[in-house]
């Protein structure tokens, strides 16, 4: 080595130390091929290798012509050209000899990662910095591709404050010194193409922070596939496109999602809808869910399935609401292709798919987004803005373009690449208010001194505008529990741009009412009527969700007063009210047949209760409610406008009786809905109706087929006796604890 000059080979003690100690901040300036005049030399770091040859790339897959045997500098694993002998040859590969444990050796052929030029283009850099790269998962993350005829994977990661970022995995013995990345300073992105690394490869990132300390290994925030928890490893996703068969569904989806269309959602936790006790209580995978869940939902008449978050999350007990893999379906249930197949099968069965999605916060697991590059990158630096006290999580810094772009690209990944039909955005209220769950002095006002989170408002508007433009017909549903104005109004009308909003007020009021002993319901009558004061101020979904049947709240059936028979009757009447009230419908799994226990994510709903006629009857009622809800325009056409609803009796608190009309458009039959919320049968109860003639019961929750007592009216003719401002009236028998739906006969 003494006869070689430092100028020629470019190696000195400082360079050797930087390579060996993993402190090479500009690897492309040192490793790979380098011109020296009209000749070229090569440097590569292969610690533990016995020898390294440079071979002609054309011979890289077998025995080939050796161009040069590299020199192992001081036996450090840094192999360099002993002389610049390559001349004009630029396309080369490396032949690496590795010792085996048994004393033998094996040979690896690979192209040099540091022999490739810039990977991401100027437009990518510009869009990333702007927060407008809507195909982020095809720019950042791990993307299999072929460059210059060489197959491999391009890795790219946003970490602007890091001093070094390396890709690590099985392919390099998880050694962060072997594959340090190139930094693109214009966008704070690190990139590297690693030849011969393909789909299914396990990888993570080793990052040296700005203080020079090595951080815990980080999962890829933009990974499109992962290993199942408790593993935290990312996987290179397959580059084989999924073959969709749902073209007709996608073309007709917008019509299914119009405000005047029926929308009945079955909310599901994929991990616990049906466990397999014989196999260690495991969850079903996507194929099994397709075989079991899709026919069930179709047979029950629901229009959509809504999953609690299926994005990869480390802690199963969070039910998915603390996700870290916002681009990857959880490996708990199979592969990304398996999830795509499930969606495709849903569409074939006429069922839409909605996913809960969480842009409000993220967990602080060390392998995740927290202090990702050694600085507060995705989160706020100030805990008064960046720490969520309710969930011990971190809050996205929506003042950063790159974070906004990351979240919007995640939403688009599900809608565009997985053909999901909508997102229910979790915890919107916590995003909108800077003082959410905070006392005085624990929050930072906005630039005007107010409590509104202006950055979150701008983000939500941009999110919804982007999705409306790129994914027309998609549902965007806000879980927003306050009176923030215009949640479901267009951005152009100063709204947030969601298509729907959960009606949390309706849910709380009506559950408070139904939990009362019927004797005292007369004093809480307003809880059932107040929702109509604001029912048309937004496009609402009426939610009976998982949140109402956990954390000691008991099951939905358990909230009902009385013995088991009365509980079932109360619940049938309540669901009858819900399905006939203006607004779209959402019901959590298990509530449709009245399970006794509150939901436990480690177990299945109590499906064995369907052996009991009462629970089976409740399930049948929900199925019939879905049927008439979809089949009767009066129950859905004017869900969001006042012209579709009219009180007939809203003030009979003494008898706890309610009656109202639901109306469709011209030519649609009106429906009369009557509720008796006491266990007392009321005979000869007169109710005004808008037209003369015979009216027949379309549905009676007290019917014996539902487990009721069988008190009914069948078909009854109106009297020419005015009542409740109507020219005609019906003299009805009101079954105890019941909901009746009547329709003009022959209409």
């Amino acid at each position: 080595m003494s006869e070689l000059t430092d100028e020629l080979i470019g190696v000195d003690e400082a360079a050797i130390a930087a390579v060996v100690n993993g402190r090479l901040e500009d690897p492309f300036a040192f490793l790979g091929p380098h011109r020296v005049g009209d000749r070229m030399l090569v440097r590569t770091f292969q610690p533990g290798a016995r020898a390294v040859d440079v071979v002609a790339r054309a011979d890289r897959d077998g025995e080939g012509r050796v161009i040069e045997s590299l020199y192992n500098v001081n036996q450090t694993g840094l192999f360099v050209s002993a002389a610049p002998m390559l001349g004009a040859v630029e396309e080369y590969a490396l032949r690496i000899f590795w010792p085996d444990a048994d004393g033998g050796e094996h040979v690896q052929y690979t192209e040099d990662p540091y022999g490739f030029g810039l990977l991401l283009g100027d437009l990518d850099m510009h869009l990333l910095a702007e927060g407008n790269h809507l195909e982020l998962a095809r720019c950042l993350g791990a993307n299999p591709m072929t460059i210059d005829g060489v197959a491999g994977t391009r890795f790219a990661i946003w970490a602007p404050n890091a001093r070094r970022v390396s890709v690590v995995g099985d392919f390099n013995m998880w050694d962060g010194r072997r594959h340090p990345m190139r930094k693109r300073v214009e966008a704070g992105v690190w990139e590297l193409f690693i030849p011969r690394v393909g789909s299914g490869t396990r990888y993570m990132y080793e990052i040296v922070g700005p203080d020079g300390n090595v951080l815990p290994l980080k999962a890829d925030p933009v990974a499109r596939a992962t290993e199942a928890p408790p593993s935290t490893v990312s996987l290179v996703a397959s580059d084989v496109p999924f073959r969709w068969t749902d073209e007709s569904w996608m073309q007709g989806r917008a019509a299914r999602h119009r405000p005047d269309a029926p929308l009945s959602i079955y909310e599901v936790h994929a991990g616990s809808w049906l466990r397999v006790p014989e196999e260690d209580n495991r969850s079903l995978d996507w194929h099994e869910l397709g075989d079991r869940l899709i026919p069930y939902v179709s047979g029950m008449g629901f229009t959509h399935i809504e999953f609690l978050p299926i994005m990869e999350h480390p802690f199963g007990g969070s039910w998915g609401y603390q996700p870290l893999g916002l681009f990857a379906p959880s490996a708990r249930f199979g592969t990304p292709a398996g999830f795509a197949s499930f969606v495709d099968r849903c569409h074939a069965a006429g069922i839409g798919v909605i996913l809960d999605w969480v842009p409000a916060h993220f967990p602080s697991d060390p392998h995740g987004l927290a202090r990702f590059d050694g600085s507060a990158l995705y989160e706020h630096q100030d805990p008064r803005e960046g720490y969520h006290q309710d969930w011990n999580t971190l809050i996205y810094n929506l003042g950063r373009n790159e974070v906004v772009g990351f979240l919007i690209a995640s939403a688009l990944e599900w809608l565009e690449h997985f053909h999901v039909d909508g997102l229910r955005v979790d915890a919107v209220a916590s995003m909108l208010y800077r003082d959410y769950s905070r006392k005085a002095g624990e929050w930072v006002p906005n630039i005007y001194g107010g409590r509104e989170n202006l950055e979150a408002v701008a983000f939500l508007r941009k999110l919804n505008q982007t999705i409306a433009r790129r994914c027309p017909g998609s549902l965007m549903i806000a879980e927003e529990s306050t009176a923030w104005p215009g949640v479901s109004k267009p951005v152009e009308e100063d709204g947030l741009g969601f298509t729907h909003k959960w009606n949390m007020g309706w849910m709380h009021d009506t559950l408070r009412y139904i939990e009362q002993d019927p004797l005292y319901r007369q004093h809480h009558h307003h809880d059932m009527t107040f929702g109509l004061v604001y029912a048309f101020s937004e496009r609402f979904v009426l939610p009976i969700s998982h949140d109402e049947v956990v954390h000691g709240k008991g099951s939905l059936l358990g909230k009902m007063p009385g013995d088991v028979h009365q509980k079932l009757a109360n619940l049938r009447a309540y669901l009858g009210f819900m399905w006939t009230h203006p607004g779209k419908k959402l019901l959590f799994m298990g509530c449709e047949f009245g399970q006794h226990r509150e939901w436990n994510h480690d177990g299945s709903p109590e499906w064995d209760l369907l052996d009991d006629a009462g629970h089976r009857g409740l399930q049948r009622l929900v199925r019939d409610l879905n049927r008439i809800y979809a089949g009767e325009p009066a129950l859905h056409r004017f869900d969001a406008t006042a012209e579709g609803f009219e009180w007939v009796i809203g003030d009979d608190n003494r008898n706890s009786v309610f009656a109202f009309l639901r109306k469709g458009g011209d030519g649609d039959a009106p429906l009369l809905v009557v509720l008796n919320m006491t266990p007392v049968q009321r005979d000869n109860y007169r109710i005004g109706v808008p037209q003369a003639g015979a009216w027949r019961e379309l549905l009676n929750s007290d019917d014996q087929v539902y487990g009721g007592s069988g008190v009914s009216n069948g078909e009854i003719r109106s009297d020419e006796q005015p009542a409740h401002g109507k020219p005609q009236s019906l003299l009805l028998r009101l079954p105890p604890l019941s909901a009746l739906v009547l329709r003009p006969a022959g209409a």
Side-chain angles (χ1 to χ4, degrees):
M1 198 63 184
S2 59
E3 72 275 12
L4 303 176
T5 67
D6 289 344
E7 179 183 4
L8 187 61
I9 64 173
V11 175
D12 56 24
E13 292 300 326
I16 295 172
V19 173
V20 172
N21 295 322
R23 290 297 186 263
L24 197 61
E25 296 186 11
D26 188 2
F28 280 82
F30 182 78
L31 297 176
H34 293 275
R35 282 283 179 185
V36 178
D38 61 349
R39 296 171 295 176
M40 187 171 70
L41 57 83
V42 171
R43 304 187 192 102
T44 183
F45 185 54
Q46 306 293 342
R50 186 184 63 77
V52 178
D53 293 336
V54 175
V55 300
R57 184 179 291 184
D59 302 319
R60 64 187 181 274
D61 290 322
E63 292 193 18
R65 178 170 51 89
V66 177
I67 299 173
E68 180 182 9
S69 293
L70 302 184
Y71 183 85
N72 190 350
V73 179
N74 297 340
Q75 299 302 306
T76 58
L78 174 60
F79 289 83
V80 303
S81 297
M85 296 171 57
L86 297 184
V89 178
E90 295 192 19
E91 289 195 351
Y92 68 93
L94 301 174
R95 183 169 65 181
I96 308 170
F97 297 86
W98 298 100
D100 293 330
D102 60 3
E105 70 177 11
H106 64 276
V107 180
Q108 174 191 8
Y109 289 88
T110 183
E111 293 73 22
D112 190 344
Y114 301 97
F116 295 87
L118 297 179
L119 304 175
L120 298 174
D122 291 340
L123 181 58
D124 287 320
M125 296 294 102
H126 175 74
L127 293 175
L128 284 166
E130 252 188 359
N132 288 325
H133 205 305
L134 303 183
E135 289 282 344
L136 195 68
R138 274 69 190 168
C139 173
L140 300 183
N143 285 279
M145 61 182 57
T146 298
I147 298 179
D148 297 337
V150 178
T153 296
R154 184 191 69 200
F155 295 88
I157 192 73
W158 179 57
N161 301 307
R163 290 178 59 175
R164 171 176 63 81
V165 180
S166 297
V167 188
V168 294
D170 295 329
F171 53 88
N172 64 11
M173 292 173 278
W174 299 88
D175 186 343
R177 302 173 301 165
R178 295 174 184 262
H179 286 103
M181 306 173 78
R182 171 196 282 123
K183 185 176 184 179
R184 304 291 298 277
V185 294
E186 60 268 42
V189 170
W190 301 74
E191 63 178 18
L192 186 67
F193 177 72
I194 304 182
R196 307 193 184 215
V197 164
S199 300
T201 299
R202 306 169 73 242
Y203 75 98
M204 295 183 79
Y205 293 103
E206 182 179 277
I207 298 176
V208 176
D211 59 0
N213 290 321
V214 179
L215 304 177
L217 290 183
K218 294 287 188 177
D220 189 344
V222 193
R224 291 181 286 123
T226 66
E227 286 192 332
S231 173
T232 59
V233 172
S234 303
L235 299 178
V236 178
S238 172
D239 58 343
V240 177
F242 182 78
R243 296 183 63 181
W244 293 94
T245 64
D246 63 347
E247 182 178 359
S248 61
W249 168 275
M250 298 298 285
Q251 289 177 346
R253 183 174 68 180
R256 296 172 182 264
H257 292 169
R258 290 195 312 258
D260 62 354
L263 186 65
S264 180
I265 303 166
Y266 187 58
E267 189 189 31
V268 173
H269 177 250
S272 63
W273 181 75
L274 185 63
R275 289 185 177 268
V276 185
E278 301 82 6
E279 299 179 25
D280 199 27
N281 207 35
R282 71 170 178 85
S283 302
L284 300 184
D285 62 25
W286 289 120
H287 178 75
E288 293 168 319
L289 283 166
D291 289 344
R292 302 293 295 274
L293 177 60
I294 293 174
Y296 180 77
V297 171
S298 178
M300 287 296 295
F302 289 97
T303 64
H304 289 70
I305 298 169
E306 179 178 320
F307 284 113
L308 277 61
I310 63 160
M311 300 80 194
E312 193 60 87
H313 50 283
F315 176 46
S318 75
W319 315 326
Y321 288 101
Q322 294 191 10
L324 283 175
L326 264 64
F327 292 76
S330 176
R332 292 170 174 87
F333 314 117
T335 64
F339 175 63
S341 178
F342 176 85
V343 175
D344 201 45
R345 293 174 67 182
C346 281
H347 290 170
I351 298 168
V353 179
I354 302 168
L355 300 182
D356 282 10
W357 182 67
V358 188
H361 61 114
F362 60 91
S364 58
D365 299 62
H367 73 278
L369 301 178
R371 298 194 68 82
F372 186 78
D373 65 355
S375 68
L377 189 63
Y378 286 89
E379 70 271 37
H380 293 271
Q381 176 71 33
D382 189 334
R384 294 176 299 168
E385 297 182 278
Y387 179 71
H388 209 302
Q389 299 179 127
D390 287 358
W391 302 307
N392 296 322
T393 52
L394 301 175
I395 299 171
Y396 287 105
N397 181 356
L398 297 175
R400 294 199 71 148
N401 291 339
E402 298 92 340
V403 175
V404 168
F406 170 79
L407 291 171
I408 292 178
S410 164
L412 290 172
E413 182 75 10
W414 303 101
L415 295 167
E416 293 186 335
H417 294 284
F418 286 107
H419 288 204
V420 163
D421 301 291
L423 300 175
R424 176 266 200 183
V425 182
D426 181 64
V428 170
S430 76
M431 301 175 69
L432 292 173
Y433 301 96
R434 288 176 162 267
D435 63 346
Y436 186 88
S437 288
R438 295 180 187 274
K439 300 175 183 176
E442 295 179 346
W443 58 283
V444 179
N446 63 32
I447 58 173
Y448 303 109
R451 60 194 288 254
E452 299 82 6
N453 190 324
L454 304 180
E455 293 82 7
V457 171
F459 161 71
L460 292 171
R461 287 173 170 167
K462 182 177 181 179
L463 168 73
N464 287 319
Q465 283 182 311
T466 302
I467 288 172
R469 182 178 71 252
R470 290 180 62 104
C471 310
S474 296
L475 296 168
M476 289 297 291
I477 304 169
E479 186 210 16
E480 203 287 307
S481 56
T482 74
W484 187 281
V487 171
S488 60
K489 287 186 178 179
V491 173
E492 295 75 17
E493 298 177 20
D494 205 28
L496 293 183
F498 287 95
T499 62
H500 296 82
K501 170 182 171 174
W502 272 19
N503 194 336
M504 309 291 280
W506 174 91
M507 177 269 296
H508 287 302
D509 290 349
T510 60
L511 285 181
R512 183 168 57 242
Y513 176 89
I514 201 69
E515 289 176 16
Q516 301 294 326
D517 186 296
L519 181 65
Y520 303 113
R521 284 177 179 167
Q522 61 181 308
H523 306 300
H524 300 270
H525 201 75
H526 64 284
D527 282 335
M528 292 284 273
T529 61
F530 182 67
L532 272 304
V533 173
Y534 60 86
F536 311 109
S537 62
E538 301 272 6
R539 290 193 294 273
F540 281 120
V541 173
L542 308 183
I544 299 297
S545 75
H546 65 282
D547 275 333
E548 312 321 312
V549 294
V550 290
H551 298 323
K553 298 176 185 176
S555 68
L556 185 60
L557 182 69
K559 300 179 192 297
M560 306 296 135
D563 58 25
V564 172
H565 177 79
Q566 291 173 321
K567 285 178 181 292
L568 286 166
N570 271 291
L571 183 49
R572 291 194 303 268
Y574 179 74
L575 294 177
F577 173 62
M578 174 178 172
W579 253 258
T580 55
H581 189 286
K584 311 308 180 186
K585 324 300 175 190
L586 179 140
L587 189 66
F588 185 58
M589 64 184 199
C591 296
E592 77 274 18
F593 60 83
Q595 83 166 41
H596 291 295
R597 297 193 301 261
E598 77 172 18
W599 172 53
N600 172 16
H601 68 273
D602 288 326
S604 301
E606 298 172 278
W607 294 107
D608 58 320
L609 289 176
L610 291 173
D611 293 333
D612 177 83
H615 293 276
R616 195 164 59 248
L618 175 61
Q619 183 193 47
R620 179 171 178 174
L621 173 71
V622 173
R623 183 174 68 242
D624 287 350
L625 285 169
N626 275 330
R627 175 179 51 80
I628 68 167
Y629 169 64
E632 296 290 333
L635 287 180
H636 59 255
R637 181 158 292 171
F638 294 118
D639 258 338
T641 57
E643 61 189 298
F645 180 90
E646 180 184 352
W647 278 114
V648 178
I649 301 172
D651 56 357
D652 189 2
N653 61 300
R654 185 173 64 87
N655 292 312
S656 297
V657 171
F658 307 82
F660 52 86
L661 291 168
R662 292 300 309 274
K663 297 178 283 186
D666 294 339
D668 296 328
L671 299 181
L672 174 67
V673 180
V674 186
L675 306 172
N676 176 14
M677 302 307 287
T678 66
V680 178
Q681 178 177 324
R682 304 194 184 280
D683 295 324
N684 300 316
Y685 194 99
R686 187 170 296 280
I687 300 179
V689 290
Q691 65 186 67
W695 288 66
R696 65 178 177 86
E697 282 182 348
L698 188 62
L699 183 136
N700 179 346
S701 71
D702 191 54
D703 195 303
Q704 288 180 335
V705 299
Y706 305 134
S709 62
V711 177
S712 68
N713 296 274
E715 186 169 297
I716 184 171
R717 297 194 65 83
S718 65
D719 300 326
E720 294 185 2
Q721 180 173 335
H724 307 113
K726 304 298 180 186
Q728 301 280 322
S729 59
L730 300 175
L731 206 58
L732 296 175
R733 300 170 68 197
L734 305 187
L737 295 173
S738 66
L740 303 178
V741 181
L742 296 99
R743 188 182 196 275

